[in-house]
Amino acid sequence: MNRRRFHPRWFRRRTPIFWWLEKGVYVHFIVRELTSLGVAYAALLLVVQVGVLGAGDAAHARFTALLASPWAVAWHALLLATLVFHTLTWLHLAPKALVVKLGGRRVPNAAILAGHYLGWLAASALVVLVLVRS
Amino acid sequence: MADATVTLEVQRYRPEREDEPVWERFEVPARREWMVLDALNHVKDRLDGSLTFRWSCRMGVCGSCGMTVDGEPKLTCATPLAARGDGRPVRVEPLRGFPVIRDLVVEIRSFLGKLKRARPWLIRDDDVPLAAGEHLQTPAELADYKQYSMCINCLLCYSACPIHHLEPDFAGPAALALAQRYNLDSRDRGAAERMEELSRHSGIWGCTFVGECSEVCPKGVDPAGAIQRYKLAAAADWFQSILLPWSGQARAKRREVAR
């Protein structure tokens, strides 16, 4: 059921297509949402890379050579920037949604944020360790 | 020497005269203690009695005088008139995201419907006689929901929310924060009932977490935080119903669905 009410004399301001340029926070929001495409691309790239690994050494060598081209390096540097931006904004939003209580007291937002950063650093350190040892 | 004045630029919409809003300028005294609402009342009393706007308490409690001041949703009774001090006109428009009925008055019945569907009242599954006394709460239980109970329905959050502008059926920040206020109340038993209505796309999942609703809230309610907490609860509820279908909460939810 359409619950909207209409009246011929009411004035409705049409939302412009570039509404998000009206305020800095809206621009920030749109950029944050768009960078999720970068996250999806990175996940897809990983899946493709795993598939190529399964296809044999030659296929994997061709794929890594493709990734080593200057255009691919520039593109993935840009992708890395979008991933870092998305990660940072995501981490800073997390304390809004998470209410953690310890001993009957609410854990401060700063502590939850610090916990997320520590988790991120630990996961990154683990990946670096695996890469260095392999 | 003439008293200093401030130029007030007010958006006028008189449906019998204009097809769309126009701007009108008024010179009002630049009194240091005046709020924007005082200036609007000065215009209505002394300059143009036809200017139409809502107001009531003048002390940031009733939530009636929300308008867009210099592009930002504000309670005009709590927005100093001459604070900026740069000589530019102070622009006053109706709250954005709502149809304008006249001048600065917007149509809010859509919000009232959404509020009702959020069931912002205590729901109990028992019938306790009055003789049983009060439902006591600890200070910690009160603290769980008190922040969300401060909402005065001023609709500044709706005006700041682009999702509400783009998708008018979106339940919106205040209705969702008030639903969460009752969900978190230790006396309430209506969380499953509310979840049915508010876990739809037009409910909590319509929110994309722009976060401006919390920034503009004059009472520090943080509706964006309430909605994200609600999303977590809804997701946990769904996982529980899948992984532990025999659990009490999952059974209660199925009963609600079947009802």
Side-chain angles (χ1 to χ4, degrees), chain A residues 9 11 23 26 32 101, chain B residues 13 100 144 160 208-209 212:
Chain A
R9 287 279 177 97
F11 177 76
K23 283 169 109 174
Y26 294 160
R32 189 189 83 203
K101 286 186 176 174
Chain B
Y13 175 61
V100 181
D144 275 344
T208 51
F209 206 170
E212 265 301 271

Side-chain angles (χ1 to χ4, degrees), chain B residues 15-47:
Chain B
E16 70 283 2
R17 283 171 58 173
E18 290 121 5
D19 289 334
E20 55 184 58
V22 294
W23 291 97
E24 205 164 298
R25 285 185 167 217
F26 301 98
E27 293 296 322
V28 297
R31 304 244 170 95
R32 205 177 51 160
E33 70 278 11
W34 270 15
M35 300 291 151
V36 172
L37 180 62
D38 295 311
L40 290 171
N41 274 324
H42 176 84
V43 172
K44 188 162 180 79
D45 289 346
R46 307 282 177 87
L47 305 176

